[in-house]
Amino acid sequence: MKKKNAGLALGGGAVWGAAHIGVLKAMEEQGIKITHIAGTSIGSLIAALFAFGKSADEIKEIAMDLKWMKVTDISISKFALLSNKKLGQVVTEHIGEKNIEDAEIPLAIIATNISTGEKVVLDKGPVAKAVMASTCIPGVFEPVEIGDMLLVDGGIKENVPTESVKNMGADYVIGVDLHAKYSNEKPKNILDILINSFHFTLMTVGKLQTVEADLTIQPDLSSFKYTDTDQIKDLIEQGYKDARKMLKA
C-alpha cells in the first residue's frame, strides 16, 4: 500500500456479513494496515469488533456462535416485528461498555434517521447502541432512539460507506460490497418479503457508492442464502478466497 492512510468500508448484507471476516483475514495476511474503518448494518458489527482490537480469527469465533435466536427477540413495539437488543448485548459481551471514540482504530457507524431520511454518521457514544441502530432493518427490527433521532439501518443511505471513511481522513479506500453478485430466490414468508425488498434497495445504492472506492472487493455470494446462519463458516471462506485474489492482483 503506497498511500499513508488506508480506510476500509464494510457494507451491509445480513448473514452475508460473515464474508467480511474472510476479507479481514486476507488483509492481515497481506500486511495491509487499516487506519480508518466504517461499517453499515452487519458491516458495523464486524467493523466495531475489528476497531476494538479483535483479530479476524477472534471475530470468526464470535460469528460462529451467532444464531438468529441469539441476536433477535420478539418486539412489543408498534414499529417492527423483532428487536435486535440481543445483538447489542453481543457487542458489549465482547468489547465491554465502550464508546465509539474509545476504539483503537478510528470508527464510524452509519445509520439512517427514519424521520428525516438523512444519513447519520455515528462517531461517538455507546458502540453497542450504534451497532443496533445500523443493523435495524426497517419493519423487521425496532428502531433505535439516539438523542432526538429515531434510527434504522444505514444501508438506506450508504450501504458501502466509502464516502464516510474518506471523510474520516483515509487517502486510500477499500470498499467491500456484499450485494454485487446475487441469485434471486422466491420468498417463502413475510420476513423474506421484507428482507428481499430491503436487499434490492441496497443493491441499487451500493453500485453508486463503490465508485468512491479505490478498490472494491465483491465476494461472489450468489450461492448463499441471505439469512441462513448455518452458512457462516463457508461465507468466511468465500470472502477470504475472493479478497485474496483481488488483493494479490
Side-chain angles (χ1 to χ4, degrees):
M1 192 71 66
K2 292 181 179 180
K3 296 192 178 184
K4 186 176 180 182
N5 295 323
L8 180 61
L10 300 182
V15 174
W16 287 351
H20 286 317
I21 303 167
V23 173
L24 290 174
K25 180 69 174 175
M27 288 183 176
E28 287 176 354
E29 289 184 355
Q30 293 292 316
I32 297 173
K33 182 175 173 58
I34 299 302
T35 60
H36 302 78
I37 189 166
T40 297
S41 199
I42 193 62
S44 73
L45 172 63
I46 307 302
L49 293 170
F50 189 72
F52 277 88
K54 299 294 183 185
S55 68
D57 285 338
E58 288 174 316
I59 299 172
K60 178 180 178 179
E61 286 185 22
I62 295 168
M64 291 296 293
D65 192 43
L66 293 183
K67 301 292 181 184
W68 278 108
M69 292 303 292
K70 280 200 168 187
V71 298
T72 64
D73 209 346
I74 299 298
S75 173
I76 58 171
S77 167
K78 63 183 178 181
F79 294 120
L81 302 172
L82 302 171
S83 165
N84 66 354
K85 287 180 182 176
K86 286 184 179 179
L87 183 62
Q89 292 169 7
V90 169
V91 175
T92 301
E93 176 186 346
H94 291 286
I95 66 175
E97 294 184 357
K98 301 288 182 66
N99 287 336
I100 298 171
E101 58 267 37
D102 300 326
E104 296 175 21
I105 301 170
L107 168 68
I109 291 174
I110 312 305
T112 302
N113 186 333
I114 198 61
S115 301
T116 64
E118 294 175 323
K119 178 177 81 172
V120 178
V121 179
L122 299 167
D123 55 9
K124 60 176 71 71
V127 65
K129 198 166 187 180
V131 169
M132 284 170 53
S134 186
T135 55
C136 179
I137 299 173
V140 177
F141 294 121
E142 181 182 348
V144 175
E145 284 191 68
I146 295 181
D148 61 352
M149 299 181 294
L150 196 62
L151 302 180
V152 298
D153 201 300
I156 296 172
K157 297 299 293 185
E158 192 181 28
N159 189 49
V160 185
T162 51
E163 180 184 52
S164 293
V165 83
K166 188 173 285 188
N167 289 342
M168 294 170 73
D171 300 311
Y172 189 94
V173 175
I174 301 169
V176 185
D177 182 4
L178 304 178
H179 287 80
K181 300 172 183 178
Y182 176 66
S183 179
N184 294 326
E185 257 190 25
K186 188 175 180 180
K188 298 180 179 63
N189 51 51
I190 184 174
L191 199 57
D192 284 350
I193 292 283
L194 289 168
I195 289 176
N196 275 13
S197 300
F198 190 61
H199 160 77
F200 295 131
T201 300
L202 303 193
M203 280 183 69
T204 302
V205 297
K207 287 176 184 177
L208 300 173
Q209 289 148 8
T210 51
V211 175
E212 297 286 329
D214 297 286
L215 171 67
T216 302
I217 297 172
Q218 299 174 324
D220 184 357
L221 308 181
S222 57
S223 63
F224 295 92
K225 294 180 180 178
Y226 200 56
T227 57
D228 187 355
T229 56
D230 291 336
Q231 308 168 113
I232 285 176
K233 184 177 179 181
D234 292 334
L235 281 161
I236 294 170
E237 184 61 26
Q238 188 68 45
Y240 171 75
K241 287 179 180 177
D242 290 346
R244 194 164 175 262
K245 286 178 190 174
M246 291 201 68
L247 292 171
K248 278 193 169 184

